[in-house]
Amino acid sequence: MEQKFYEEIKQILLEARHKVYQTANFAMVEAYWNIGKNIVEKQSGEEKLEYGSGLIKELSKQMTKDFGKGFTSTNLKYMRQFYLAFPNGHALRDELSWTHYRSLMKVENKDARQFYLEESIKANWSTRQLERQINSFFYERLLSSQNKEQVSKEIKRLEPEKIPEDIIRDPYVLEFLGLNPNDDFYESDLEQALITHLQKFLLELGRGFSFVARQKRITFDGRHFRIDLVFYNYILKCFVLIDLKIGDLTHQDLGQMQMYVHYYERELMNEGDNSPIGIVLCADKSESVVKYTLPENETQIFASKYKLYLPSEEELLQELRKEYNVLEANSQK
């Protein structure tokens, strides 16, 4: 059999699968938009939602009973936010998945959000590509760049492109259709599980760590950011900020942590506190990386004092690798 003939047959099937996915996906996007619309209207159009809303809780309880785990209170709040962020249902695009829209909702600047939406469609970005572009401030970098074409092309190198075999297995679509997701271990699950493990590990370390916050939101220059974990070490008398990355560690990741450290130093340190410490951890199948970040000119203090109470890079790497392997093994059972 000729390879060219087989490739033609294979392409027919892949395109058909993609159409089925796209149809199911857009039906899900429209349904979630309408659920969000109904929730907002039931709440008399109020934009602010008290945490633990009785309506959301009751709706979640009943829908989980009838339709499964895809309708937690958190997910229903996403649907509500979806409607508020994209109030024109006729403008919803069938090229974008629910995961795309969840990422777009994090962008508070409306011009930037519209830019990412249009670029996702034009460049056929995968959800990982879109997420990386948002997290690396692609919109802002493009506006200030002299070489816009080169900046635009870099995402092709940094993240894999969207292919039919991937999107057919989208857990949100499978969940929406009432099917059991396959056994692939999804990146968001992996990331959250690793963060939970790190939180437990540091609290059990016995070196003065006190938990402060998870997904800590900070705001400056009109923009919002979230730090994965924040601790206060009462022996060192300083904040310890932790961000976890899945995939390659970039200069932008390190620069962002430096920004967090400087923000805590300026805005949140109390009298008698020492300078905050940032830790960026990268979990990857092939290689895990740990990088410490301190305010400028604090290297000597770190070397002489902080290292006595902070976990070493090797300790953190060992915990990351161990938990990563356990999670991957469990996902394949």
Side-chain angles (χ1 to χ4, degrees):
M1 184 174 61
E2 292 182 6
Q3 185 64 27
K4 182 181 178 182
F5 174 73
Y6 174 72
E7 289 299 326
E8 289 174 353
I9 299 299
K10 179 181 177 181
Q11 192 60 33
I12 291 170
L13 182 58
L14 289 176
E15 288 177 2
R17 283 183 170 183
H18 181 69
K19 286 179 182 177
V20 171
Y21 161 81
Q22 198 165 22
T23 301
N25 173 72
F26 192 57
M28 175 178 64
V29 167
E30 287 187 311
Y32 288 174
W33 184 89
N34 279 299
I35 290 171
K37 180 175 183 287
N38 277 268
I39 291 172
V40 170
E41 290 176 349
K42 185 69 173 176
Q43 295 173 326
S44 303
E46 295 176 7
E47 291 210 3
K48 291 186 178 179
L49 174 64
E50 294 292 330
Y51 178 78
S53 160
L55 173 66
I56 295 284
K57 280 187 174 180
E58 283 302 312
L59 186 60
S60 171
K61 183 178 178 182
Q62 188 61 49
M63 291 189 75
T64 299
K65 179 181 176 183
D66 292 340
F67 298 104
K69 64 180 183 179
F71 297 95
T72 62
S73 293
T74 299
N75 285 345
L76 290 175
K77 289 174 187 176
Y78 272 122
M79 295 172 203
R80 181 185 184 279
Q81 183 186 351
F82 182 34
Y83 169 73
L84 293 173
F86 299 91
N88 182 3
H90 297 295
L92 297 176
R93 302 295 299 266
D94 62 2
E95 299 97 330
L96 301 180
S97 70
W98 173 237
T99 310
H100 281 101
Y101 276 113
R102 281 180 58 141
S103 296
L104 290 168
M105 282 187 275
K106 299 175 186 177
V107 182
E108 299 196 10
N109 181 311
K110 290 184 179 180
D111 291 337
R113 186 194 305 152
Q114 186 61 31
F115 167 81
Y116 286 121
L117 185 151
E118 292 171 359
E119 284 295 308
S120 293
I121 296 168
K122 184 172 71 175
N124 196 33
W125 282 345
S126 68
T127 54
R128 286 182 62 175
Q129 286 176 329
L130 172 60
E131 189 72 23
R132 181 180 280 273
Q133 297 291 54
I134 292 171
N135 290 340
S136 65
F137 313 112
F138 175 64
Y139 174 70
E140 291 80 1
R141 288 190 293 120
L142 197 64
L143 289 178
S144 61
S145 174
Q146 298 288 328
N147 191 344
K148 291 180 168 49
E149 184 177 353
Q150 191 62 34
V151 173
S152 297
K153 285 182 177 178
E154 69 178 3
I155 191 62
K156 302 293 185 182
R157 175 177 56 82
L158 295 172
E159 290 290 352
E161 296 185 52
K162 182 169 60 177
I163 58 175
E165 290 90 335
D166 288 337
I167 58 180
I168 289 296
R169 299 191 292 264
D170 190 323
Y172 289 118
V173 175
L174 294 170
E175 199 170 66
F176 175 72
L177 294 173
L179 303 173
N180 290 325
N182 60 28
D183 292 332
D184 286 351
F185 199 76
Y186 298 102
E187 185 172 299
S188 60
D189 299 323
L190 176 63
E191 186 174 358
Q192 291 306 310
L194 287 171
I195 290 171
T196 297
H197 182 75
L198 284 170
Q199 179 180 335
K200 182 181 178 184
F201 166 69
L202 288 172
L203 290 175
E204 292 178 349
L205 198 59
R207 298 183 194 171
F209 282 93
S210 176
F211 177 72
V212 175
R214 180 164 172 159
Q215 295 296 311
K216 171 67 175 177
R217 174 171 160 165
I218 61 174
T219 303
F220 55 94
D221 293 336
R223 298 170 66 183
H224 304 292
F225 303 88
R226 292 189 183 275
I227 308 171
D228 288 333
L229 288 170
V230 178
F231 293 88
Y232 187 84
N233 189 294
Y234 58 83
I235 298 176
L236 295 172
K237 294 186 178 179
C238 72
F239 286 103
V240 179
L241 318 176
I242 298 176
D243 251 5
L244 177 71
K245 306 295 178 183
I246 302 294
D248 294 334
L249 191 65
T250 68
H251 291 299
Q252 287 93 344
D253 296 330
L254 298 175
Q256 187 164 303
M257 177 53 77
Q258 190 74 58
M259 186 171 60
Y260 295 159
V261 167
H262 287 320
Y263 176 82
Y264 262 76
E265 189 178 33
R266 291 194 314 267
E267 305 291 340
L268 296 174
M269 278 178 55
N270 296 309
E271 187 176 351
D273 280 353
N274 290 311
S275 297
I277 298 170
I279 306 175
V280 181
L281 304 101
C282 165
D284 189 82
K285 281 185 180 181
S286 57
E287 183 180 7
S288 296
V289 180
V290 175
K291 296 288 185 182
Y292 281 91
T293 302
L294 295 103
E296 295 175 4
N297 303 320
E298 295 288 349
T299 306
Q300 292 303 316
I301 296 177
F302 175 72
S304 63
K305 183 178 179 182
Y306 284 23
K307 276 192 171 182
L308 294 174
Y309 299 100
L310 290 172
S312 67
E313 291 183 12
E314 188 52 44
E315 283 180 290
L316 288 170
L317 284 173
Q318 186 177 347
E319 287 300 315
L320 266 185
R321 291 184 190 123
K322 181 174 70 176
E323 186 66 9
Y324 194 107
N325 291 335
V326 168
L327 292 168
E328 280 219 314
N330 289 339
S331 74
Q332 294 167 8
K333 290 180 180 179

